[in-house]
Amino acid sequence: MLAQKYRLQGKDVIFLSRKRQYFSAGLFGFFYRKQYPNNQFHQISTHVTIKYSKRSTQRNVIKRAILQQIQDDKIIQKPISGYYYKMYIIINKHKVEEFQQKIAN
């Protein structure tokens, strides 16, 4: 689990989704915004859609796996192109079936 300062709050997630700075990379989509200059770390939050599974336990396993990978690779403290960002990671809604197949394998 990420430390609280590295996680986005609910108001930040709403802000990022309204600003619509978005890019898609493979199975995931990223809403992002540059971090404030005084914060020298990334802030990240994840969301797994209910289309993936109606069971919250299965969705939470995926979320924790994503966050654990980010934490293990120490991505939080590495700048991307010289900047730190607020990021909201989602599973691309058009690729949910592909994601389920990869998890099943």
Side-chain angles (χ1 to χ4, degrees):
M1 193 72 163
L2 290 175
Q4 187 172 2
K5 76 176 191 175
Y6 299 130
R7 289 182 273 168
L8 289 176
Q9 296 178 353
K11 64 181 181 178
D12 292 326
V13 171
I14 292 168
F15 175 74
L16 289 175
S17 60
R18 286 187 180 163
K19 283 297 180 181
R20 293 287 184 191
Q21 286 185 313
Y22 176 83
F23 75 92
S24 179
L27 298 174
F28 298 100
F30 299 88
F31 288 98
Y32 65 96
R33 188 91 173 154
K34 281 187 186 174
Q35 182 66 284
Y36 300 118
N38 57 343
N39 292 341
Q40 298 299 312
F41 52 85
H42 299 293
Q43 285 183 306
I44 298 174
S45 181
T46 61
H47 175 74
V48 178
T49 181
I50 200 164
K51 289 180 181 179
Y52 172 72
S53 173
K54 293 188 187 231
R55 294 179 164 252
S56 63
T57 54
Q58 292 178 349
R59 293 192 311 265
N60 284 332
V61 166
I62 299 300
K63 287 182 195 180
R64 287 176 188 234
I66 293 168
L67 292 175
Q68 187 64 40
Q69 188 64 40
I70 289 169
Q71 191 172 5
D72 289 347
D73 291 343
K74 300 192 188 307
I75 293 172
I76 297 288
Q77 297 162 345
K78 296 177 185 175
I80 300 171
S81 301
Y83 296 103
Y84 292 95
Y85 292 91
K86 292 179 181 265
M87 290 182 273
Y88 179 52
I89 303 169
I90 61 171
I91 294 177
N92 192 338
K93 65 182 179 181
H94 301 294
K95 299 193 178 188
V96 170
E97 287 118 21
E98 182 181 341
F99 185 74
Q100 286 175 330
Q101 290 172 356
K102 287 193 178 206
I103 294 295
N105 293 337

